[in-house]
Amino acid sequence: MEESLEAAWDFELDSSAGIDQAYRRDEHVGLVALVSAARGGGVGRFYPFTSMGRLCFSTGPRWWTGDGEPAPAFVTVDPEGGYVVWRGSPYAHPAEEVLETHEAAEAVAELERLLGLYDFI
């Protein structure tokens, strides 16, 4: 059964709310704010997934089975509040820190810039 892109984003938003609540994150600086900003941006056409505190994207719903590939950039939520944008695959080390910000929209804009450099977007 193929997972729709909309369903993947809905799932990510719902699960992000639970994660934010568990970590007592502020509603303006947490995964919900980040997922919402990403969904409305250029990366909204990719499948979102979280992995070890990272918001990642892929070109297909099940990249781990060969249905798509992970994007070569991702965002983490900083435990102190804010976001960190990373260049590189979430599963290849080392990734390079590119930006720290407290604004979800700024993190998404930088992520999109990086993905554009890789011709991923």
Side-chain angles (χ1 to χ4, degrees):
M1 178 168 88
E2 178 87 16
E3 179 179 352
S4 77
L5 185 58
E6 183 176 343
W9 279 102
D10 288 345
F11 173 82
E12 207 56 58
L13 194 58
D14 289 345
S15 64
S16 294
I19 292 168
D20 281 354
Q21 184 178 13
Y23 285 96
R24 294 180 169 81
R25 291 186 179 133
D26 182 283
E27 67 185 62
H28 301 290
V29 180
L31 274 174
V32 169
L34 182 61
V35 170
S36 296
R39 186 178 197 171
V43 292
R45 67 177 179 241
F46 298 114
Y47 286 85
F49 64 97
T50 51
S51 172
M52 299 171 59
R54 305 171 291 204
L55 178 60
C56 309
F57 305 91
S58 70
T59 58
R62 289 172 184 69
W63 60 268
W64 61 92
T65 65
D67 182 12
E69 66 177 283
F74 58 95
V75 182
T76 57
V77 178
D78 187 320
E80 303 297 319
Y83 307 98
V84 180
V85 180
W86 300 86
R87 176 191 336 248
S89 169
Y91 299 105
H93 298 286
E96 176 189 357
E97 183 178 323
V98 176
L99 174 73
E100 290 184 39
T101 181
H102 281 82
E103 301 296 324
E106 187 177 1
V108 170
E110 180 62 15
L111 177 71
E112 290 174 351
R113 186 190 74 78
L114 288 173
L115 294 178
L117 291 175
Y118 287 107
D119 291 328
F120 201 82
I121 273 189

